[in-house]
């Protein structure tokens, strides 16, 4: 018997059903995927998934069969689930433009101690702020599933940058990933703000209007999310370029940091992490294994394990044993950069962060 009870709003791919383009179509609804909220809960002894809510009865039934949820735990009304079930944690796995409604409902209609929300946190900065306020009022932790924060290698690398100072003062960062901005580059940008512990001050952006997700997700709904990028000046003085215009099959997730004490190259698709220390004007390569990082971050290993790690962190939060590693306030830092790219593109000017009040209401829809 587990110590804590979990429920999920949204019986879709990241909840545990499987994702077209990431998983084989024949496995959708048949395989228990570790890289999912249900998979994370299943990998822990502390948290049991007892209830799921989704408007689509067929999808709900398929999810229940795949994860062995009794019929009594399947709901077509998420508010009914929240009021009927005594849930300690609620996962929100619906499309990002619905996150605001479902996180606020989880805080107000249920009584969870943790709300584990999928990335990106929301489609508008004002929505994210309402979600944070609702969870604060309910004394619930809002944990946003930026998966890289829940991997040992990324956590250790941040310690080396922030506490050991292996880069010194960071001057610039060059980043690259596949389209689209909300669906994909939220990973990239959250990693940026996590590593730097910084926030954007000025944003200038470009939007391509191209979107591959319609085909890969077999989705019929038109959304704003598209490829794009631009430059960002962070409040620590670092200058960042972002390129998320590249088709999925052609892309690699790369980041290159240049600082006063060294430089760092990360490629999470080709499995290459390299570091050079600056010594007397020369960059001398140092093996990251000296600091406990064996090999590079990979999607097949580290990303898979991120979900069980996050679920274990949920249990730590429920027991009061940890500080929230991915708060709503931190997740909003990547969202405001993306919104800034759109505002800059369509107005033809640079955008200052924090966004002025009317601009915080600008919504960028995605799946």
């Amino acid at each position: 018997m587990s110590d804590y009870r979990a429920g999920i709003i949204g019986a879709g791919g990241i909840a545990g059903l499987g994702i077209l383009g990431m998983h084989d179509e024949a496995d959708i609804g048949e395989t228990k995927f570790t890289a999912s909220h249900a998979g994370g809960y299943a990998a822990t002894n502390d948290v049991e998934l007892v209830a799921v809510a989704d408007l689509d009865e067929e999808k709900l039934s398929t999810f229940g069969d795949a994860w062995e949820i009794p019929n009594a735990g399947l709901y077509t009304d998420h508010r009914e689930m929240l009021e009927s079930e005594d849930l300690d944690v609620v996962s929100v796995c619906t499309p990002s433009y619905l996150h605001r409604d479902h996180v606020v409902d989880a805080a107000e209609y249920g009584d969870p101690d943790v709300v584990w929300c999928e990335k990106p946190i929301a489609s508008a900065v004002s929505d994210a702020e309402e979600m944070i306020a609702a969870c604060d009022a309910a004394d619930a932790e809002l944990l946003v599933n930026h998966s890289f924060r829940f991997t040992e290698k990324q956590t250790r690398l941040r310690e080396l940058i922030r506490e050991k100072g292996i880069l010194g003062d960071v001057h610039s960062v060059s980043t690259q990933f596949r389209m689209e901005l909300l669906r994909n580059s939220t990973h990239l940008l959250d990693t940026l703000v996590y590593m730097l512990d910084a926030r954007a001050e000025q944003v200038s952006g470009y939007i391509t209007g191209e979107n591959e997700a319609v085909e890969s997700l077999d989705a019929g709904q038109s959304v704003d999310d598209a490829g794009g990028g631009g430059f960002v000046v962070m409040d620590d003085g670092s200058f960042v370029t972002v390129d998320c215009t590249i088709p999925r099959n052609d892309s690699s997730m790369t980041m290159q940091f240049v600082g006063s004490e060294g430089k760092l190259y990360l490629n999470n698709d080709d499995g290459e992490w390299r570091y050079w220390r600056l010594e007397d004007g020369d960059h001398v390569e140092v093996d990251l294994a000296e600091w406990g990082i064996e090999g590079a971050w990979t999607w097949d290993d580290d990303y898979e394990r991120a979900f069980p790690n996050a679920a274990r962190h949920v249990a730590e939060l429920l027991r009061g044993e940890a500080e929230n590693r991915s708060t709503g306030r931190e997740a909003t830092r990547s969202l405001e950069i993306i919104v800034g790219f759109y505002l800059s593109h369509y107005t033809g000017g640079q955008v200052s962060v924090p966004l002025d009040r009317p601009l915080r209401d600008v919504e960028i829809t995605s799946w």
Side-chain angles (χ1 to χ4, degrees):
M1 191 71 179
S2 299
D3 295 329
Y4 303 108
R5 293 163 54 87
I8 294 177
I9 302 175
I14 204 66
L17 206 60
I19 302 172
L20 285 172
M22 182 180 294
H23 304 118
D24 292 338
E25 187 171 358
D27 292 332
I28 303 295
E30 298 291 334
T31 300
K32 291 184 176 181
F33 297 104
T34 300
S36 68
H37 284 243
Y41 292 134
T44 74
N45 295 321
D46 302 302
V47 185
E48 180 183 5
L49 177 60
V50 299
V52 181
D54 198 286
L55 292 171
D56 187 325
E57 293 187 32
E58 182 178 354
K59 183 188 296 184
L60 187 63
S61 177
T62 300
F63 192 99
D65 290 342
W67 290 98
E68 301 170 23
I69 309 297
N71 287 337
L74 305 180
Y75 295 84
T76 55
D77 185 332
H78 69 278
R79 290 184 178 179
E80 182 183 353
M81 180 188 76
L82 293 168
E83 292 175 335
S84 301
E85 302 282 350
D86 183 17
L87 300 175
D88 299 291
V89 53
V90 176
S91 282
V92 174
C93 299
T94 47
S96 56
Y97 61 88
L98 297 174
H99 285 179
R100 181 266 175 205
D101 292 345
H102 291 150
V103 167
V104 171
D105 283 352
E108 294 183 350
Y109 287 87
D111 188 26
D113 292 315
V114 177
V115 180
W116 183 14
C117 180
E118 252 311 304
K119 59 78 186 168
I121 183 173
S123 292
V125 172
S126 60
D127 285 353
E129 292 171 338
E130 289 184 47
M131 294 157 62
I132 294 165
C135 288
D136 284 349
D139 197 24
E141 290 284 352
L142 176 56
L143 181 72
V144 180
N145 194 45
H146 279 119
S147 301
F148 292 18
R149 291 182 181 237
F150 304 111
T151 62
E152 295 87 350
K153 291 188 182 77
Q154 292 285 72
T155 301
R156 178 57 178 154
L157 188 60
R158 184 182 189 275
E159 291 174 354
L160 294 174
I161 293 173
R162 301 304 309 156
E163 298 175 18
K164 301 296 184 182
I166 65 170
L167 294 176
D169 296 327
V170 177
H171 303 310
S172 70
V173 189
S174 301
T175 70
Q176 194 172 81
F177 198 30
R178 58 179 179 253
M179 61 176 86
E180 299 81 19
L181 284 169
L182 270 176
R183 180 170 174 245
N184 291 317
S185 72
T186 181
H187 279 306
L188 185 76
L189 294 173
D190 184 71
T191 300
L192 173 75
V193 300
Y194 179 58
M195 292 297 172
L196 297 182
D197 191 22
R199 185 181 186 183
E201 279 192 345
Q202 293 290 325
V203 177
S204 180
Y206 169 72
I207 306 300
T208 68
E210 297 179 2
N211 186 315
E212 292 187 314
V214 173
E215 181 176 346
S216 64
L217 294 179
D218 193 24
Q221 183 173 353
S222 176
V223 296
D224 303 316
D225 202 6
F231 71 77
V232 185
V233 181
M234 307 297 288
D235 62 6
D236 66 353
S238 56
F239 182 86
V240 181
T241 58
V242 179
D243 178 2
C244 291
T245 65
I246 303 169
R248 174 184 290 264
N249 291 339
D250 303 340
S251 75
S252 293
M253 183 178 181
T254 62
M255 307 183 78
Q256 180 163 303
F257 297 78
V258 178
S260 60
E261 301 293 331
K263 64 182 181 181
L264 177 70
Y265 173 78
L266 310 176
N267 188 318
N268 288 348
D269 286 272
D270 299 333
E272 184 179 19
W273 281 16
R274 300 177 67 183
Y275 167 73
W276 296 262
R277 178 188 293 125
L278 186 59
E279 297 180 357
D280 299 324
D282 295 321
H283 284 99
V284 179
E285 188 162 9
V286 179
D287 193 337
L288 287 169
E290 290 188 16
W291 292 304
I293 297 178
E294 297 286 347
W297 192 101
T298 66
W299 291 96
D300 291 340
D301 181 20
D302 298 271
Y303 179 74
E304 285 279 319
R305 291 188 291 112
F307 288 80
N309 288 346
R312 283 188 282 270
H313 184 56
V314 166
E316 291 172 342
L317 292 174
L318 290 169
R319 291 192 295 266
E321 296 176 351
E323 294 291 326
N324 190 332
R325 288 167 56 181
S326 188
T327 68
R329 287 177 175 82
E330 291 173 331
T332 304
R333 292 182 177 186
S334 56
L335 175 62
E336 60 193 4
I337 293 174
I338 295 170
V339 173
F341 285 155
Y342 276 83
L343 289 169
S344 172
H345 176 89
Y346 286 104
T347 63
Q350 291 188 26
V351 176
S352 297
V353 175
L355 299 174
D356 291 333
R357 190 202 59 78
L359 302 182
R360 294 202 298 270
D361 294 332
V362 172
E363 181 183 49
I364 312 297
T365 57
S366 183
W367 286 281

